Amino acid sequence: MNHRPASSSTPPPDPPGWRAMADSAARIVMHWFGNGRAAAQCGGHGGLRLRSMPALRRTPMAPQRPDEPRVWARPRGERVLAWMRRLLIVALSAAQTVFASLYFLSALPQQGERGLEMVIVLLFAALFFWVSIGFWTAVAGAWICLTRIDRFAVSRRAPAASRSLSTHTAVVMPIYNEPVDRVFAGLRATLRSIDAAGLRDHVHCYVLSDSTDPDIQIAEELAWAELIRDLDAAGRVHYRRRRHHINRKTGNIADFCRRWGARYDHMMVLDADSVMDGRCLKRLIEIMESNPQLGILQTAPCPAGRASLFARVQQFASRLYAPIFSAGLHYWQLGEAQYWGHNALVRLAPFIRYCGLPRIPGRGPLSGAILSHDFVEAALMRRAGWQVWIAYDMEGSYEEPPSTFVEELTRDRRWCEGNLQHLRLFHTPGLHPAHRAGFLVGVMAYLSAPLWFLFLLATTVQLTIEAHVEPQYFPDHPVLFPDWPIWKPELALSLFASTIALLIAPKVLAWLVAVTRGAGARAYGGWCGLTVSTLLEIVVSSLLAPLRMVAHTGFVASVLLGVKTVWGGQPRADGAIPWRGAARLFALPSLIAVAWAAYLWSLAPEYLWWSVPVLGPLIIAVPLAALTASVRLGRGARARGFFVTPEESRPPTVLDWTAEELARFRARSLAAGVRAWHAARDPRIWALHTSMNAAQGGHAGLGRESLEAHAQRALREGPEALDPAEWRTLLADPDALAGLHWTLQMHPEDVHPTWREGAGDAPDRGPLTPAAA
């Protein structure tokens, strides 16, 4: 490239291409690693490369026909018991729903003789059945947890004594514009735990990046290089960034399976915020090896590691309630369980053969790439005859919850579209009925919100009719007595109380299980702390429930109208209070709630009091959603012993290591605070990036003139003159980046002062010398 900054009177000589500079770059990279295994991957003389991925071993992965042979013949007794359990839960829920619906019908003034009242009753029945399913699932789970009677627990289907492993596992972590510090801190801790568990020779790790932010791209490369240097993990920990982000996370995992899946027996899928204890992973592998018909083994991840008030409440609630709900799901799902997409061990051969995902045909709503892939992959695995189990009682699997309510809703928007797509997959040939039921459960998780909204709207219309329309006491046909409307508020009140009890009962059961297992109430901060925290969680969840209803109703409507989900990285750090996001989501619903409350008051003041549990939280939705994100309030609750979890009372070693690695990264890592333009200025970053990009055959996809224009503007106006997309194109072209680097090193006086002013910032941190030093 021929860079001629405007301030130069004598044009500098043309810089050499990156291949001519390969020898010096190779020496920089090898010196930085100071590690024979890593240095052996580098070479000069125009062949500079740092192999971040192993050699390909290709295998096809495509959607299969449903007539593939089934390999699992479940014993007849176990099959009958599974169906009996499912029918029992459905029968109990249905009976409870019928009784409550008839009771509700008798409380209405016309006892269902008007069409609108029947609509209200039907909506009530659908919502009550949904609540009843959750209630009986929790009851079944609490029974298992309290009695510890479960001959089907998959954790017991392997030898109790530890033994040597005969298989190889790939730990796969797809990431997309994630906070690099947290991703690699969790990964380092997981790798340390894996090594401590004796799995070093049996487990390799793959970081599969779809990141598009150029700053994050450079940080990921540096963090990976530091990891393999510090942990002597060259050849065990691999990194790849895709050029084409086809089908998002599912496409990234499928791409790994096609290219490298044949190398391994199992795949442990981790999210960017996942942390896995090595002993847990070893036990999962032992179970998989001992059960040749087991296809997917899902753990129940435990949320931990966040400090905001909202996150602390979510961590406490999940830690307290998840054991009985996951055990309850195990009770009726057995070998037809769900896969949640992460923190699960997958047998690769059947996954590659049977779980290729098709695109949903069409261009309208619910078409295109399958978003909620996990439920579908579990259903396809079971269709092929392989078992899918939940290891509900295994510890050592962790994740982080969203730090704010707004972040949770942002994530839910993606999940909503994915779950609603399951409506179009419900009739896929060959699926097991249990997985079809799982599809419906996933749909109802979001469809229940608009049903609740319609129920509230219908009851308001009914109240309006009763207030303004004079009742017909005498129908057209002859009768002996007038048709008097009969109000029975005492029945409505008792039904309301029983519904609330149905919602709270699982939480009481979870409290009972917590105090009778393990360290008991001490693990949750003591009897007082556990009890008060449970009561406070009930209050907080009751306040947030109407907000979720409104948000999920909007999500369902937008999905059905064809508004596609925007793919973005998920924030994973406790940060500022999201007033703007809360206002964007809830300002209009709050105004509508105020108008709705005023209207009910105008009809009759007693109507308003019935609506306070719903309209009250909506009126204060913006400050409620924003203030629950406060880290100060979260730390204050922790200081007073509220929302304490066992992982805080006695932190697992792997979580302590995660905190240590996170602090180390922020204090000493070259990747902390790095920017894309540092790859042009700093020789070490340039050498590392060029070696990795050359190994992947990097290219910008732009003409040479466009690249020249980008480089000239960056030199003349400073690095901030280019937007992220322009920096991304420069980073993808080794020649363009080499030209920039040459000019900055050889003629620093002829470039914009910003290049020199930033010379002492983040990239000059400590760990640039070889690890051996």
Side-chain angles (χ1 to χ4, degrees):
M1 296 180 64
N2 186 17
H3 299 292
R4 293 184 174 90
S7 60
S8 176
S9 59
T10 302
D14 288 341
W18 70 272
R19 293 183 185 278
M21 301 165 64
D23 281 331
S24 60
R27 286 193 294 270
I28 292 172
V29 174
M30 287 189 287
H31 176 74
W32 184 20
F33 278 100
N35 180 311
R37 293 180 64 189
Q41 300 181 105
C42 305
H45 304 291
L48 170 64
R49 60 176 179 169
L50 177 60
R51 289 191 292 268
S52 60
M53 295 295 285
L56 297 178
R57 189 178 295 177
R58 292 187 179 275
T59 185
M61 182 177 184
Q64 297 293 314
R65 300 184 58 172
D67 55 356
E68 292 286 347
R70 302 171 190 269
V71 300
W72 179 31
R74 169 179 277 185
R76 185 174 184 277
E78 185 176 324
R79 186 169 65 250
V80 171
L81 179 61
W83 279 109
M84 288 178 60
R85 287 183 173 187
R86 294 160 188 167
L87 290 175
L88 176 63
I89 286 186
V90 172
L92 290 172
S93 301
Q96 198 173 39
T97 300
V98 169
F99 177 80
S101 299
L102 293 176
Y103 198 83
F104 179 63
L105 184 65
S106 66
L108 296 175
Q110 301 295 336
Q111 282 76 54
E113 293 184 5
R114 291 181 177 176
L116 183 58
E117 286 190 346
M118 287 306 301
V119 170
I120 294 173
V121 172
L122 291 175
L123 289 170
F124 172 84
L127 292 168
F128 197 91
F129 183 75
W130 172 244
V131 172
S132 295
I133 288 287
F135 169 77
W136 289 110
T137 298
V139 170
W143 169 259
I144 290 176
C145 292
L146 288 171
T147 62
R148 293 177 171 81
I149 300 175
D150 182 16
R151 63 189 179 95
F152 296 108
V154 71
S155 59
R156 303 173 190 174
R157 299 191 173 193
S162 179
R163 59 186 180 86
S164 60
L165 302 180
S166 59
T167 56
H168 291 84
T169 300
V171 174
V172 176
M173 178 182 284
I175 57 177
Y176 177 71
N177 290 338
E178 305 282 356
V180 178
D181 55 354
R182 175 57 185 84
V183 169
F184 281 88
L187 183 58
R188 279 173 171 258
T190 298
L191 289 170
R192 288 173 62 181
S193 186
I194 286 173
D195 290 351
L199 299 179
R200 183 182 181 90
D201 297 330
H202 295 273
V203 176
H204 289 174
C205 181
Y206 289 78
V207 180
L208 307 176
S209 173
D210 271 336
S211 297
T212 57
D213 186 312
D215 296 341
I216 292 179
Q217 290 178 354
I218 294 298
E220 288 174 358
E221 293 172 358
L222 294 171
W224 168 78
E226 290 179 344
L227 185 154
I228 64 172
R229 182 197 64 186
D230 296 345
L231 301 185
D232 190 19
R236 287 201 308 129
V237 181
H238 307 287
Y239 170 85
R240 177 177 185 248
R241 187 174 63 250
R242 287 199 301 171
R243 296 186 197 138
H244 307 292
H245 312 141
I246 300 172
N247 291 344
R248 308 177 185 180
K249 177 182 176 181
T250 58
N252 208 351
I253 292 179
D255 199 50
F256 161 79
C257 290
R258 283 190 293 267
R259 292 169 179 262
W260 297 282
R263 287 176 165 269
Y264 302 97
D265 302 284
H266 313 130
M267 171 177 67
M268 166 58 67
V269 183
L270 298 181
D271 263 359
D273 60 351
S274 298
V275 175
M276 178 69 65
D277 190 291
R279 292 169 299 180
C280 176
L281 178 58
K282 184 176 182 179
R283 187 60 179 163
L284 293 172
I285 296 173
E286 290 172 346
I287 295 171
M288 189 75 81
E289 288 186 352
S290 302
N291 296 269
Q293 294 177 327
L294 180 55
I296 298 178
L297 184 53
Q298 175 69 63
T299 66
C302 173
R306 287 295 179 85
S308 70
L309 178 62
F310 174 80
R312 292 195 58 78
V313 173
Q314 295 301 101
Q315 288 170 181
F316 172 82
S318 181
R319 189 64 176 86
L320 184 63
Y321 308 144
I324 67 168
F325 278 106
S326 57
L329 289 174
H330 160 80
Y331 174 83
W332 67 267
Q333 290 177 344
L334 294 180
E336 286 89 25
Q338 300 299 334
Y339 166 45
W340 299 331
H342 61 94
N343 291 52
L345 190 66
V346 178
R347 192 182 299 272
L348 269 170
F351 184 83
I352 292 172
R353 184 176 181 184
Y354 301 112
C355 296
L357 297 178
R359 290 181 65 87
I360 301 177
R363 295 185 178 181
L366 311 183
S367 63
I370 295 174
L371 299 182
S372 291
H373 58 96
D374 37 19
F375 278 30
V376 181
E377 288 162 343
L380 295 178
M381 183 72 82
R382 180 60 188 91
R383 183 179 72 173
W386 295 82
Q387 305 174 26
V388 183
W389 287 89
I390 297 178
Y392 68 91
D393 56 347
M394 292 193 64
E395 297 182 350
S397 176
Y398 306 99
E399 64 176 348
E400 286 185 347
S403 63
T404 71
F405 186 54
V406 173
E407 289 178 17
E408 180 190 88
L409 295 179
T410 302
R411 181 191 64 181
D412 281 353
R413 174 60 180 84
R414 298 193 295 269
W415 288 1
C416 176
E417 182 173 351
N419 284 17
L420 293 181
Q421 283 181 322
H422 295 166
L423 290 171
R424 296 195 57 186
L425 300 171
F426 183 80
H427 294 294
T428 301
L431 296 187
H432 193 280
H435 285 284
R436 297 188 198 273
F439 283 177
L440 293 180
V441 169
V443 170
M444 277 300 295
Y446 293 96
L447 201 58
S448 59
L451 291 179
W452 185 14
F453 178 78
L454 290 175
F455 175 78
L456 297 174
L457 186 62
T459 54
T460 301
V461 173
Q462 178 66 30
L463 292 175
T464 302
I465 293 173
E466 297 297 335
H468 294 291
V469 178
E470 184 175 348
Q472 296 250 345
Y473 297 108
F474 296 95
D476 295 335
H477 58 277
V479 293
L480 294 177
F481 302 100
D483 187 7
W484 300 103
I486 304 174
W487 285 98
K488 298 179 180 179
E490 68 283 356
L491 295 183
L493 185 61
S494 61
L495 184 62
F496 175 78
S498 61
T499 304
I500 296 300
L502 205 65
L503 291 169
I504 294 178
K507 303 187 178 188
V508 176
L509 291 174
W511 179 92
L512 182 62
V513 169
V515 299
T516 57
R517 295 180 62 187
R522 293 193 306 275
Y524 294 89
W527 284 86
C528 181
L530 173 61
T531 303
V532 174
S533 297
T534 304
L535 295 175
L536 289 175
E537 190 281 328
I538 292 173
V539 172
V540 172
S541 62
S542 300
L543 290 173
L544 294 179
L547 279 63
R548 285 194 177 93
M549 175 200 69
V550 170
H552 289 182
T553 300
F555 296 162
V556 171
S558 65
V559 169
L560 296 180
L561 290 174
V563 180
K564 289 296 183 179
T565 300
V566 176
W567 190 31
Q570 180 177 331
R572 300 187 187 274
D574 297 304
I577 296 177
W579 284 100
R580 180 176 299 179
R584 178 173 50 84
L585 283 171
F586 296 115
L588 181 58
S590 293
L591 294 176
I592 294 175
V594 171
W596 200 328
Y599 177 70
L600 291 176
W601 179 269
S602 68
L603 291 178
E606 59 271 19
Y607 294 165
L608 177 61
W609 300 118
W610 283 93
S611 67
V612 165
V614 176
L615 296 182
L618 287 175
I619 291 173
I620 62 171
V622 173
L624 180 62
L627 291 177
T628 53
S630 170
V631 175
R632 183 175 61 85
L633 292 177
R635 289 172 177 165
R638 174 68 179 90
R640 290 166 176 79
F642 299 146
F643 308 123
V644 178
T645 65
E647 286 67 36
E648 293 174 319
S649 299
R650 298 185 63 183
T653 302
V654 70
L655 293 184
D656 278 342
W657 285 347
T658 302
E660 290 175 10
E661 294 291 352
L662 188 60
R664 184 210 61 82
F665 185 101
R666 292 171 177 173
R668 301 181 59 240
S669 174
L670 177 65
V674 74
R675 301 289 303 279
W677 52 273
H678 292 150
R681 191 194 64 193
D682 191 293
R684 297 151 297 189
I685 302 176
W686 166 77
L688 177 66
H689 173 76
T690 300
S691 67
M692 295 178 66
N693 202 47
Q696 297 187 26
H699 63 87
L702 285 181
R704 189 57 50 190
E705 292 184 0
S706 297
L707 290 170
E708 176 79 17
H710 292 344
Q712 287 281 8
R713 184 150 52 91
L715 291 170
R716 184 175 60 251
E717 302 176 18
E720 303 294 346
L722 301 188
D723 62 29
E726 291 168 333
W727 268 115
R728 193 160 56 243
T729 60
L730 286 176
L731 292 176
D733 190 273
D735 276 312
L737 194 63
L740 266 178
H741 178 64
W742 173 270
T743 303
L744 290 170
Q745 296 300 315
M746 303 304 294
H747 303 279
E749 70 282 356
D750 294 330
V751 301
H752 192 275
T754 305
W755 291 101
R756 297 188 299 275
E757 291 169 0
D761 59 8
D764 292 322
R765 295 189 179 197
L768 302 179
T769 55

